[in-house]
Amino acid sequence: MLSVALGTLRTRRAVFAGSFVALALGVALLTVMGLALASSASAPERGPGRSAAPVVVLGQDTLRVPTPSGERTARLAHPRPIPAATVARLRKLGPVVADRSATGVHRLGIDADPAAVREVVGDGARVLTGAARRLAGPGPERDREALTAMNALFGTAGGVTAFVSVFVVASTFAFAVERRRREFALLRTAGATPGQIRRTVLAEALAVGVLASATGCALGARAAPPLAAEMTRQGLAPAWFTIGHHVWPYHAAFWTGLSVALCGAAAASWRAGRTAPAEALREASADRRPITRGRLLCGAALLLTAAVTLALSLAADPGDLLHRKTYVSRPMLLITAAALLSPLCLRPLVGLLTRLPGLRAPLVRENTAAGVRRTAALAAPVLVTVALAGSLLGTTATLNRAKAAEARERTTAAFVVTAPDGAGFDEAALRRLRAVPGTVVSPSSSTAVHVLEDGVALVRSEARAAAPGALAATTRLPLAAGRVEDLDDDAIVVNEEWRRHRVGERVRVWLGDGTPRTLRIAAVMTTGTGDNGVYVTPRNAPGAAADRVDVTLTAGADPRAVAGALRAAAGDGRVLTREAWLRATAPGTDRTTRLGLLLVLGIALLYTGISVANTTAMDRSGRVRDLAVLRLAGATPGQVLRLTGAEALTVVAAGALLGLLVTGVNLAGLWAALALQSAPPVLAVPWQALGTTAAACALLAVTCATVPTAVTLRRGAVDLAGLRE
């Protein structure tokens, strides 16, 4: 059987070309992802940068909380300054350069013995020497964020690649087996057993998998360094990032690719083994059954799984559906189910499309109905691509619109004054702003609080500090319980995401500078999209400077006069109207996430082209006689080409409609989650992206269908009629 399999690969190269290309590209991307992950995990130590002094002392910037499971740490929003007494003692050890802020000294460049410095500092600050001096600058935090975003990008792309490549390979082998039923039947007539037929198909998959995986590893090795350099130039990776020499990514990518090939061929091999010898006598080309029993059961199981898991998430934790890991991975279940069950829907859907006024095409309808397996093989990748585009882009657009609606509902101020970047308003500026007639002014500062949940998890919540009276006058918080006016120096406003969120209950928290406090819950906000945060008073935000001032107008105040007075009082600050501030701070998809989504959709579109081209190539020989009959019946080459193009467009339209239906179901689940979270239940369908994706799929399908047909039609009708498969 191995010799038969190798012979089949030689004589049917076009049949397996699509699977080879799909696997090779998938393995290449997995190799690149693995090399990037391995290189980021074992990044080389950076130099100290601008910290040329042998010793650097930093103010305490890490919160450390002991728990039964060990110490938990977190970065402080407002690092504590180095105590003045410690600074004075350090100056006696050697030359000192101090970085000073409004709250005190936060960093010293000290030319002294490290041991002596540690003895003076004790536990009140951090002492950095050698390569660790790089931690004194802002670079490490930015590098860590860049690496995290890069890993998420490659992880998402790799997951989608594996998903789509399995789908394409499985579809390719399934369609190839269907088109080779007579070939397998002849082998059965010659004495081949079902087991030998199955082993032949698996041997073909093994050969394709080995060659494609090896090719993919080689492509990945060449593509990884230029890609890392481009990501560095674009600012998506740290400037020092390079691809290192690692072995495990090649092993992981190679064996994953081989497993994908074998898994994709497993179901097809089982179906091939069930071919009866009598199939060799069958001449009819119409499909007997639109869908196999195994495909029906798998599709139904996945559909049920998608429905049950969605219902459980909505009932138990609807907020989980708003997280990126969830809304990227969860649609895969429904998309796969729809692709598997698509043959059940395509025949009536194509019939509907070809009966629409102005689009009546009975020949297209009959051709697609007779070859429903071919129609499903062409429509399924279109469905996957359109559904991915609609689900991913629609989810991010819906979340951004919901967050924007939340901000609009919360903000009642007529003007918002923001401090210059990286700075805050000093007391003199705040006094000038408060003195503007006809206004109620509410300064607030950005801070954070930490809470220990279940005794083991140290959770950080972004917070704002503001005086309760002014806050109530300029902001409409989405409260589920309590009153904003009850906020005081002994209280806190939390949201329903907190484990403990009952009004009047006391919770132990650590403030932005690490100070432990036990505060009373004055009010509880709804969860919303997760941006409602926490509110405390300025006394519970030590070290936080006011960076925003909300301004409302009193009765009879002139908005233009107030705006001019605010600009004069704000100095370098910006004075924006409510609408201008909402536009300036409108949430959007960050650059890395946007690039990741475009990469995912590009991969899906590429695989769509591979699948469509491969299906068309496999079906070409089987349709030669159909073309000959049309030509002998009097159809011109142009009419045959138009018919072929119309069939391709009809199938793409059917696949796009099914993809749109899947998109609608996925977005409906997100809409329900937003409603259960008390967030504005908005919905954003990315019509432009869906139209562009469908148009690209249509162009690919029409090109792949008409170009080979045009080449075939160069032969005469009589010659075509005499051709054999």
Side-chain angles (χ1 to χ4, degrees), residues 128 261 394 518 632 658 676:
L128 307 177
T518 300
L632 292 173
L658 291 177
L676 291 173

Side-chain angles (χ1 to χ4, degrees), residues 164-564:
V164 181
S165 60
V166 168
F167 180 82
V168 169
V169 172
S171 299
T172 297
F173 276 99
F175 191 64
V177 166
E178 181 63 25
R179 283 294 173 262
R180 295 166 61 192
R181 292 187 70 86
R182 293 187 64 196
E183 175 187 327
F184 291 138
L186 289 173
L187 290 174
R188 293 280 285 117
T189 303
T193 65
Q196 289 175 319
I197 297 295
R198 295 188 186 104
R199 288 193 292 273
T200 298
V201 175
L202 288 175
E204 294 169 355
L206 179 64
V208 172
V210 169
L211 293 175
S213 298
T215 303
C217 287
L219 290 175
R222 287 185 171 273
L227 182 61
E230 182 62 25
M231 293 188 70
T232 298
R233 282 194 295 271
Q234 296 295 329
L236 298 174
W240 48 265
F241 181 74
T242 57
I243 297 296
H245 300 285
H246 305 277
V247 176
W248 70 260
Y250 296 102
H251 282 285
F254 180 88
W255 295 111
T256 298
L258 187 57
S259 300
V260 165
L262 294 178
C263 290
S269 68
W270 180 261
R271 190 158 58 252
R274 298 179 60 185
T275 305
E279 293 287 337
L281 303 176
R282 191 167 70 91
E283 287 292 337
S285 59
D287 294 326
R288 295 172 300 170
R289 291 188 303 172
I291 190 171
T292 62
R293 184 179 303 172
R295 183 168 181 167
L296 178 63
L297 291 176
C298 289
L302 286 175
L303 184 62
L304 181 62
T305 301
V308 170
T309 54
L310 176 61
L312 291 176
S313 294
L314 291 175
D317 185 15
D320 182 60
L321 296 175
L322 310 184
H323 298 158
R324 184 172 63 179
K325 288 184 179 179
T326 302
Y327 68 67
V328 168
S329 60
R330 182 174 290 278
M332 304 300 180
L333 277 176
L334 188 58
I335 291 173
T336 307
L340 290 174
L341 298 176
S342 60
L344 296 177
C345 309
L346 284 174
R347 184 173 287 174
L349 186 57
V350 168
L352 177 63
L353 289 173
T354 52
R355 286 186 173 90
L356 292 175
L359 299 177
R360 297 184 182 278
L363 190 55
V364 172
R365 180 171 63 251
E366 295 305 321
N367 281 346
T368 53
V372 68
R373 293 280 181 85
R374 178 186 71 249
T375 303
L378 290 172
V382 177
L383 184 159
V384 170
T385 304
V386 172
L388 274 176
S391 298
L392 297 183
L393 297 179
T395 298
T396 55
T398 297
L399 288 176
N400 289 337
R401 183 174 294 182
K403 291 178 180 179
E406 279 184 335
R408 181 172 295 276
E409 291 177 358
R410 280 199 305 262
T411 305
T412 59
F415 297 96
V416 177
V417 186
T418 58
D421 292 339
F425 292 109
D426 55 25
E427 285 300 323
L430 293 178
R431 284 195 297 270
R432 292 195 301 269
L433 290 169
R434 289 190 180 101
V436 173
T439 65
V440 176
V441 173
S442 175
S444 63
S445 56
S446 178
T447 183
V449 296
H450 292 83
V451 63
L452 193 65
E453 293 189 349
D454 299 325
V456 293
L458 189 61
V459 179
R460 174 185 172 121
S461 294
E462 300 302 320
R464 292 205 70 82
L471 176 65
T474 58
T475 304
R476 185 188 300 114
L477 296 184
L479 296 183
R483 301 190 316 148
V484 176
E485 291 80 357
D486 293 337
L487 178 65
D488 55 35
D489 291 341
D490 188 47
I492 185 173
V493 176
V494 301
N495 58 64
E496 290 177 327
E497 276 191 313
W498 280 45
R499 185 78 65 187
R500 301 169 65 183
H501 57 264
R502 191 173 59 214
V503 172
E505 191 174 11
R506 301 192 73 86
V507 291
R508 181 174 175 81
V509 300
W510 286 263
L511 304 179
D513 68 340
T515 301
R517 291 291 308 273
T518 300
L519 301 176
R520 170 181 51 85
I521 296 178
V524 179
M525 294 182 290
T526 59
T527 301
T529 61
D531 286 346
N532 285 336
V534 170
Y535 285 85
V536 294
T537 61
R539 184 176 177 183
N540 288 321
D547 55 9
R548 189 177 103 197
V549 178
D550 291 24
V551 181
T552 58
L553 304 181
T554 59
D558 181 7
R560 292 186 178 180
V562 169

